[in-house]
Amino acid sequence: MNFDIQIIGGGLAGSEAAWQLAEAGVRVRLSEMRGGGDTTPAHDTDRLAEMVCSNSFRSDDAEHNAVGLLHQEMRDLGSLIMRCADQHRVPAGSALAVDREAFAAEVTLAVERHPNIAVVRERIDALPDHPAIIATGPLTGAGLADAIATETGQDALAFFDAIAPIVHRDSVDMDVAWMAARWDKGGKDYINCPLDKPQYEDFIAALNAGEKMPFKDWEKDTPYFEGCMPIEVMAERGPETLRHGPMKPVGLDNPRTGRWPYAVVQLRQDNALGTLWNMVGFQTKLKHGEQVRIFRSIPGLENAEFARLGGIHRNSFINSPRLLDRELRLKSSPNIRFAGQITGCEGYVESASVGILAARFAAAELRGETMAPPPVETALGALLAHITGGADAETYQPMNVNFGLMPPPEGRARKADRKKAYTDRARIAFAAWLDSQKVAEPA
Ligand SMILES: Cc1cc2nc3c(=O)[nH]c(=O)nc-3n(C[C@H](O)[C@H](O)[C@H](O)COP(=O)(O)OP(=O)(O)OC[C@H]3O[C@@H](n4cnc5c(N)ncnc54)[C@H](O)[C@@H]3O)c2cc1C
């Protein structure tokens, strides 16, 4: 079959993108290396859209949860991934969990049977010079990864993430924390949380005792890069190590005492909206529950709400805010788009959703049209805006969808109603955007 566009990678994003393009009448060559003699360290089968770990698509609550809202928007866009997930749902309370075998089999069948898709079991090692979407995921084959790094610059493709927790700004207690930069240099750009000596000692003891996530066998050679050492590894080296590293208090006068605290935790703005702040230097392999418990012992963070918890994994992702335009095109080679986790979104659902967007942008372009991106008030639009420019390129690390990626709704809502305020506004914005799409699409 001649094709109009090639998709590389038949995971969550590539399968979804192939389906969306094919449904729009575009002929697709879907190149997937599994089943052609290659595999990744995490996949066990040759099926498309294999879920490599948990069988959950997380919360399905579209009223109070950002990923639930994303589910709904994807369903409204005819998502194959969501349709197959709904079809093979297993009981999981308000979460959407699936029978992974049946789910992947269903996606594979639907994609393979589509008359506009040719699934080719082949590994791709070079960047194509025709229209393409690269959706090769966190474990992109080495040859293609090299080709991407050559095109984008070595420092623009990461092979490991080193994620520090991200906190919603409005959950920090500013009666305890304060804004300042070290030695008052530049603007008051950091949130500073002060610890006294007993608090610091308790914190170090908690880090040392906290349960950690083990590395997988194939991740054991994970290098700890300069400046990316997990905090618990630093704490193990001695009780003073953190106080001379990311928790250094020098030059930070606490306005409430007029003195430097014994130790400090700094948070730095992480998105252009100013709603999300990352804990500087706090990348960690602590288990998620432990992170919440231990980090809430930090003065000022007692009620912290985390948009993302820390982690360190093998994960290929590009510096999208720097490299991609608003339509997910590589600025240096605009016939190539990226989709899925390689863009720096995180998770099955987010990856598939970015597959939808890449496909729809590409389909519009092949028709000679331009698709307006979904508004930033929607889950899809917020994730897209974050990846393609809202995130700070300097500290870019993978991100799940969350309300902190959206501008805060106007007016004051009670805490209990805030999430509903986000989703009510998102539904209206999404419906209007969808309507504008229908006008744009040929009858
Ligand atoms: C160990 C591990 C555990 C995870 N656990 C979870 C979890 O519990 N929940 C969650 O939501 N997310 C989890 N993730 C993240 C999840 O895997 C991704 O979010 C999701 O699969 C990404 O979708 P994707 O389509 O971008 O990549 P993938 O689903 O990985 O698909 C990429 C596809 O590209 C193929 N490919 C790679 N290179 C080439 C090449 N050169 N040529 C041709 N084909 C190629 C691969 O074989 C693969 O099929 C985990 C990831 C890993 C590595």
Side-chain angles (χ1 to χ4, degrees):
M1 179 175 99
N2 288 328
F3 60 91
D4 305 307
I5 189 165
Q6 182 180 22
I7 298 178
I8 308 176
L12 279 293
S15 304
E16 181 68 68
W19 179 261
Q20 295 278 330
L21 280 156
E23 286 286 279
V26 177
R27 293 165 309 165
V28 176
R29 179 186 184 100
L30 176 57
S31 303
E32 168 51 56
M33 70 178 183
R34 287 177 295 117
D38 288 283
T39 190
T40 79
H43 288 85
D44 284 332
T45 76
D46 292 345
R47 294 203 183 104
L48 303 178
E50 180 182 332
M51 299 165 81
V52 294
C53 188
S54 118
N55 67 331
S56 173
F57 279 16
R58 318 202 310 277
S59 172
D60 200 29
D61 177 355
E63 304 256 290
H64 302 98
N65 189 288
V67 79
L69 179 67
L70 186 58
H71 289 172
Q72 192 52 55
E73 293 176 2
M74 293 168 71
R75 289 183 181 112
D76 291 347
L77 291 173
S79 163
L80 173 70
I81 293 297
M82 291 309 299
R83 192 188 83 198
C84 296
D86 287 335
Q87 231 164 316
H88 295 287
R89 188 174 194 137
V90 295
S94 62
L96 172 56
V98 306
D99 173 334
R100 73 175 71 233
E101 304 269 318
F103 163 77
E106 187 83 35
V107 174
T108 306
L109 196 66
V111 170
E112 285 183 340
R113 278 194 179 160
H114 201 293
N116 284 339
I117 305 175
V119 177
V120 185
R121 302 293 183 159
E122 60 182 355
R123 192 189 72 221
I124 304 296
D125 290 331
L127 291 183
D129 53 13
H130 47 256
I133 297 177
I134 297 180
T136 44
L139 303 168
T140 292
L144 185 63
D146 280 348
I148 295 169
T150 303
E151 171 71 23
T152 60
Q154 299 292 332
D155 63 335
L157 174 69
F159 291 95
F160 292 89
D161 54 36
I163 302 176
I166 295 218
V167 175
H168 289 277
R169 171 71 170 77
D170 59 8
S171 67
V172 179
D173 183 354
M174 295 306 290
D175 289 337
V176 175
W178 80 100
M179 302 290 308
R182 210 177 289 282
W183 304 113
D184 284 331
K185 279 196 187 137
K188 294 180 188 290
D189 290 342
Y190 289 80
I191 297 176
N192 300 282
C193 299
L195 289 88
D196 62 22
K197 190 162 188 269
Q199 286 166 336
Y200 176 76
E201 286 168 354
D202 287 350
F203 182 73
I204 298 298
L207 284 183
N208 284 330
E211 256 192 285
K212 284 100 191 168
M213 292 284 287
F215 280 114
K216 307 213 181 289
D217 280 345
W218 44 272
E219 287 182 318
K220 282 197 174 127
D221 59 348
T222 303
Y224 291 143
F225 299 106
E226 190 71 21
C228 286
M229 181 91 63
I231 43 164
E232 62 276 10
V233 174
M234 280 190 259
E236 266 170 23
R237 294 190 166 178
E240 288 297 299
T241 309
L242 275 168
R243 232 165 65 78
H244 292 96
M247 297 180 75
K248 189 165 60 178
V250 297
L252 286 166
D253 284 327
N254 184 344
R256 295 185 185 93
T257 61
R259 306 174 53 148
W260 301 347
Y262 189 75
V264 75
V265 173
Q266 291 198 297
L267 286 83
R268 184 172 50 218
Q269 185 170 334
D270 201 71
N271 64 343
L273 291 171
T275 49
L276 299 176
W277 289 64
N278 77 67
M279 296 174 67
V280 180
F282 266 55
Q283 52 281 342
T284 176
K285 285 288 279 182
L286 281 169
K287 289 195 166 168
H288 282 181
E290 294 286 76
Q291 291 186 40
V292 173
R293 181 179 66 80
I294 297 170
F295 297 154
R296 281 191 183 154
S297 73
I298 296 167
L301 300 186
E302 293 87 347
N303 298 309
E305 294 294 333
F306 295 92
R308 184 184 74 192
L309 287 160
I312 297 174
H313 323 89
R314 202 173 134 198
N315 190 358
S316 328
F317 66 99
I318 58 169
N319 193 312
S320 295
R322 181 144 66 84
L323 299 178
L324 301 187
D325 70 11
R326 293 279 161 162
E327 291 196 22
L328 296 162
R329 281 179 299 219
L330 195 57
K331 288 177 192 163
S332 64
S333 183
N335 61 345
I336 292 176
R337 284 185 162 81
F338 280 80
Q341 189 145 323
I342 196 167
T343 64
C345 67
E346 170 89 29
Y348 304 137
V349 182
E350 287 85 343
S351 295
S353 78
V354 178
I356 296 183
L357 289 173
R360 288 187 165 238
F361 282 129
E365 189 173 304
L366 288 166
R367 289 196 300 266
E369 296 167 5
T370 306
M371 181 182 88
V376 70
E377 290 80 10
T378 65
L380 268 169
L383 190 58
L384 177 71
H386 182 78
I387 291 169
T388 59
D392 182 352
E394 290 295 308
T395 57
Y396 190 58
Q397 289 290 327
M399 182 57 104
N400 285 124
V401 70
N402 65 80
F403 291 125
L405 304 182
M406 302 174 184
E410 278 175 23
R412 293 188 69 80
R414 283 189 309 133
K415 198 175 172 203
D417 300 331
R418 270 185 81 72
K419 291 177 177 168
K420 185 80 168 32
Y422 278 103
T423 60
D424 283 346
R425 184 185 62 173
R427 252 183 299 282
I428 294 167
F430 192 76
W433 176 76
L434 210 52
D435 266 357
S436 71
Q437 298 303 298
K438 285 181 190 137
V439 173
E441 276 170 20

